[in-house]
Amino acid sequence: SNQKTVRVWKRTPDELLHSLEGHTGAISAVAVSPDGKSIVTGSYDETVRVWDRTTGALLHTLEGHAGRISMVAVSPDGQTIIFGTWDETVQLWNPTTGEVLKTAHEGAVAMAVSPDAQRVLALDFRGDEVLIRGCNTGELLHSLEPQDDLIAAVAVSPDGRIIVTASDDETVRTWDSSTGELLDTLEGHPNVLAVTISPDGQSVITGSTADNTTRVWKRSTGELLLTLSGHSAGVTAVAVSPDGRTIVTGSYDATVRVWDLTASERRSTAEDGAADGTAADPSRCGSSVPSWSSGTETRGLGTL
């Protein structure tokens, strides 16, 4: 949040597990390690910090670079932290030694690491175009064809194989990250500011500021599977649990909501914070959810 903290909540209502404090600037990015043991945070204070999820203890601080942090990601083996800054730099760090492994001069709005940890994708958009680079070499891999309007949101599947883009022309498109080929186009959800893809790559989830809903789509056919209604203001963040059964949404209405896809209903609500983003714990399938907000504190996640 702008209060410079990250809070970790248990699924039962109003149970705060940890408040991670130490950053001197607003929190701009958060990620959970694949084993669920660590939380990585990025801040406008130009540092990246690694925390123990169980105890809330600060493990490492990565500093010495210039630029506010815009995005963080963790490699599948947990041995590399990748982050992007607003000064258009992507860096790979060893979280234990603090050693800089690689620097590429490309700004990043989304990142993904291949399952074998050999390829890192950094996505940057310039208006209506998305550039894909391999951070290990800095080589331009693909440039996705321009869309009809400005790109508002972009996401990468957990395995790095599929890219999702949402455009102001009211389309959401999926792409093959290895070839740059357009796979599918979804239409009908205006003003999408948040997008993600299910772990199996079969469903796309979109959040809108026009109708305040979150929608779940079948990627291959464009069929609308579910519409999640309940927010009273625009949806600005969406995340999905590793098992694909739970969605977490953040909104301008100062709530974070947790939804059960198998029951098509909302499980719980966290109030008192206009949430910009959430991250589910991969090892627990959403049993604890770190969240951050752009305004006041976010608190009170309930039982899933």
Side-chain angles (χ1 to χ4, degrees):
S1 78
N2 283 343
Q3 296 177 344
K4 309 168 188 176
T5 63
V6 172
R7 298 193 174 191
V8 184
W9 304 90
K10 195 173 181 180
R11 294 182 301 181
T12 51
D14 295 323
E15 186 172 353
L16 176 65
L17 298 179
H18 304 294
S19 181
L20 309 180
E21 300 179 359
H23 282 294
T24 59
I27 309 299
S28 54
V30 63
V32 181
S33 63
D35 62 9
K37 295 180 178 180
S38 302
I39 295 173
V40 182
T41 57
S43 169
Y44 282 178
D45 67 8
E46 302 182 1
T47 70
V48 173
R49 302 192 179 211
V50 184
W51 314 79
D52 186 299
R53 188 189 64 82
T54 302
T55 66
L58 176 63
L59 301 177
H60 309 288
T61 300
L62 308 180
E63 53 190 348
H65 51 275
R68 295 177 173 182
I69 307 301
S70 61
M71 183 65 62
V72 295
V74 185
S75 65
D77 60 9
Q79 299 304 305
T80 305
I81 291 175
I82 309 99
F83 61 88
T85 67
W86 290 113
D87 67 350
E88 299 192 354
T89 297
V90 174
Q91 290 190 330
L92 281 68
W93 288 66
N94 182 309
T96 302
T97 65
E99 176 188 3
V100 179
L101 304 176
K102 178 70 179 179
T103 299
H105 296 286
E106 283 294 335
V109 294
M111 289 180 288
V113 186
S114 61
D116 60 7
Q118 296 302 307
R119 185 171 63 143
V120 180
L121 300 179
L123 280 69
D124 187 17
F125 54 79
R126 296 287 187 269
D128 61 354
E129 188 176 20
V130 176
L131 305 177
I132 310 170
R133 290 186 179 270
C135 286
N136 292 336
T137 63
E139 176 187 2
L140 178 63
L141 303 177
H142 303 289
S143 177
L144 304 185
E145 64 184 54
Q147 300 187 38
D148 296 333
D149 214 325
L150 295 179
I151 296 170
V154 62
V156 186
S157 63
D159 61 8
R161 295 179 180 177
I162 299 175
I163 297 167
V164 186
T165 59
S167 174
D168 285 348
D169 64 3
E170 300 187 8
T171 65
V172 174
R173 303 183 186 188
T174 60
W175 312 78
D176 185 314
S177 68
S178 61
T179 65
E181 176 187 0
L182 176 64
L183 299 176
D184 308 286
T185 300
L186 311 177
E187 299 179 296
H189 206 190
N191 290 24
V192 171
L193 286 189
V195 64
T196 191
I197 189 167
S198 62
D200 63 7
Q202 298 305 305
S203 300
V204 173
I205 300 97
T206 58
S208 170
T209 58
D211 61 5
N212 308 334
T213 68
T214 298
R215 298 186 184 185
V216 182
W217 309 79
K218 187 173 182 179
R219 181 182 63 81
S220 60
T221 65
E223 177 187 359
L224 178 61
L225 301 177
L226 288 173
T227 298
L228 307 178
S229 302
H231 283 294
S232 59
V235 177
T236 57
V238 294
V240 60
S241 63
D243 64 4
R245 300 177 62 184
T246 303
I247 288 177
V248 184
T249 58
S251 168
Y252 285 142
D253 67 6
T255 68
V256 173
R257 302 193 178 207
V258 184
W259 309 81
D260 183 348
L261 292 186
T262 60
S264 303
E265 63 184 21
R266 177 170 54 84
R267 286 174 167 180
S268 59
T269 303
E271 301 183 348
D272 198 22
D276 289 334
T278 61
D281 175 359
S283 69
R284 304 286 298 279
C285 294
S287 62
S288 61
V289 181
S291 62
W292 72 99
S293 72
S294 60
T296 56
E297 65 186 15
T298 304
R299 54 185 174 85
L301 285 178
T303 301
L304 299 184

